Amino acid sequence: MAQTSALATVEVHRRKNDGFVGEMRSAAMKLHTREQAREGEKEVKGPEERSVAKWEPTIDGYLKFLVNSKMVFDTLEKLVQKAAFPCYTEFIDTGLERSDNLAKDLEWFKDQGHAIPEPSDPGTFYAGILEDLSQKDPQAFICHFYNIYFAHSAGGRMIGKKVAEKILHKKQLEFYKWDGELPQLLQNARDKLNKVSEGWTREEKDRCLKETERSFKYSGAILRLILL
């Protein structure tokens, strides 16, 4: 009940204070399919774009997804810490970080007797893109930051739950757990994103929004691994 009340309070605050994050969210929702979200506008093309209820995941595929996800989160969190641009320091220790949690999950799978694969092209390629953007285009980099973390906190959690029901006997992985109230952690991140973007020109904001499609493309390639 307390969690529901906290979520409702934060949702009201979010709607009143959307700022530029509201534009980022709108750009992202348009790239969902109708099976994924009511606001989706994209036609279903790949199997990962269908409702997760229709998926047939495998342990091997899920491990590839987790390993490559860790590669991306490791890179993203390292780049925020290095802060090639001062604005990145706003996003250090948001509470949304996932690398340590993923490390625990991969250790658990190893203890169950599963071989842990090495990161493959989808993860290493996306990590390279993030490295490059972080050095030369902070608006584009922050677009990826937003979409990676916020997608995982929403659709990512639903995927984790459904996959766990199908192949993990409903075990909840650490990847889908946060210290503290997730709605508040997300709102804190929104506030910081709005603060940073206040200093951007309209051209810079539009460049950030334009990067949304690439973010979905690279994240989708990693998500697709679950079904291999």
Side-chain angles (χ1 to χ4, degrees), residues 20-21 24 85 87-88 91 137-144 146 192-209:
F20 182 62
V21 172
M24 296 175 78
F85 289 86
C87 62
Y88 297 169
F91 307 109
D137 193 340
Q139 285 77 29
F141 176 73
I142 286 174
C143 174
H144 288 268
Y146 167 80
K192 291 180 176 184
L193 286 161
N194 280 330
K195 175 184 174 183
V196 167
S197 62
E198 282 177 0
W200 294 352
T201 64
R202 185 66 251 179
E203 181 182 359
E204 288 171 331
K205 289 179 179 179
D206 289 343
R207 190 165 72 247
C208 175
L209 297 175

Side-chain angles (χ1 to χ4, degrees), residues 33-36 42-58 158-159 163 166 219-228:
T33 67
R34 289 299 296 273
E35 289 192 26
Q36 294 171 324
K42 185 179 179 184
E43 292 184 10
V44 174
K45 293 182 179 179
E48 77 283 358
E49 295 175 335
R50 301 190 66 82
S51 168
V52 68
K54 300 176 182 179
W55 289 13
E56 294 298 333
T58 65
M158 181 177 68
I159 290 168
V163 171
K166 292 192 174 188
S219 293
I222 294 174
L223 187 61
R224 197 174 301 128
L225 294 171
I226 296 177
L227 303 176
L228 296 181

Side-chain angles (χ1 to χ4, degrees), residues 124-140:
T124 56
F125 182 77
Y126 196 8
I129 292 291
L130 292 171
E131 291 260 11
D132 185 52
L133 290 176
S134 73
Q135 297 292 325
K136 68 180 186 182
D137 193 340
Q139 285 77 29

Side-chain angles (χ1 to χ4, degrees), residues 108-122:
W108 179 80
F109 276 103
K110 186 177 179 181
D111 289 344
Q112 305 306 305
H114 296 288
I116 308 302
E118 293 295 319
S120 54
D121 285 348

Side-chain angles (χ1 to χ4, degrees), residues 51-228:
S51 168
V52 68
K54 300 176 182 179
W55 289 13
E56 294 298 333
T58 65
I59 290 285
D60 286 346
Y62 197 40
L63 280 171
K64 291 175 184 176
F65 163 73
L66 293 174
V67 165
N68 282 277
S69 293
K70 186 174 185 301
M71 179 77 179
V72 170
F73 281 106
D74 283 349
T75 301
L76 195 55
E77 290 161 22
K78 176 190 70 178
L79 294 172
V80 167
Q81 291 280 348
K82 286 174 64 176
F85 289 86
C87 62
Y88 297 169
T89 60
E90 292 284 346
F91 307 109
I92 295 173
D93 297 332
T94 61
L96 299 176
E97 292 79 15
R98 299 289 83 200
S99 292
D100 290 347
N101 294 57
L102 278 163
K104 292 176 184 177
D105 288 331
L106 292 172
E107 190 63 31
W108 179 80
F109 276 103
K110 186 177 179 181
D111 289 344
Q112 305 306 305
H114 296 288
I116 308 302
E118 293 295 319
S120 54
D121 285 348
T124 56
F125 182 77
Y126 196 8
I129 292 291
L130 292 171
E131 291 260 11
D132 185 52
L133 290 176
S134 73
Q135 297 292 325
K136 68 180 186 182
D137 193 340
Q139 285 77 29
F141 176 73
I142 286 174
C143 174
H144 288 268
F145 175 94
Y146 167 80
N147 282 294
I148 289 169
Y149 283 110
F150 279 70
H152 178 66
S153 72
R157 284 194 298 158
M158 181 177 68
I159 290 168
K161 182 175 183 293
K162 292 297 184 181
V163 171
E165 289 173 357
K166 292 192 174 188
I167 62 175
L168 296 178
H169 306 291
K170 298 185 178 182
K171 175 180 171 59
Q172 184 182 22
L173 297 183
E174 297 299 317
F175 192 26
Y176 307 101
K177 298 178 184 178
W178 287 262
D179 292 330
E181 297 286 346
L182 179 58
Q184 190 59 57
L185 295 175
L186 292 170
Q187 186 56 50
N188 293 344
R190 288 189 193 97
D191 291 342
K192 291 180 176 184
L193 286 161
N194 280 330
K195 175 184 174 183
V196 167
S197 62
E198 282 177 0
W200 294 352
T201 64
R202 185 66 251 179
E203 181 182 359
E204 288 171 331
K205 289 179 179 179
D206 289 343
R207 190 165 72 247
C208 175
L209 297 175
K210 186 178 180 181
E211 193 69 17
T212 305
E213 190 168 355
R214 284 216 306 167
S215 175
F216 269 62
K217 175 183 177 182
Y218 301 140
S219 293
I222 294 174
L223 187 61
R224 197 174 301 128
L225 294 171
I226 296 177
L227 303 176
L228 296 181

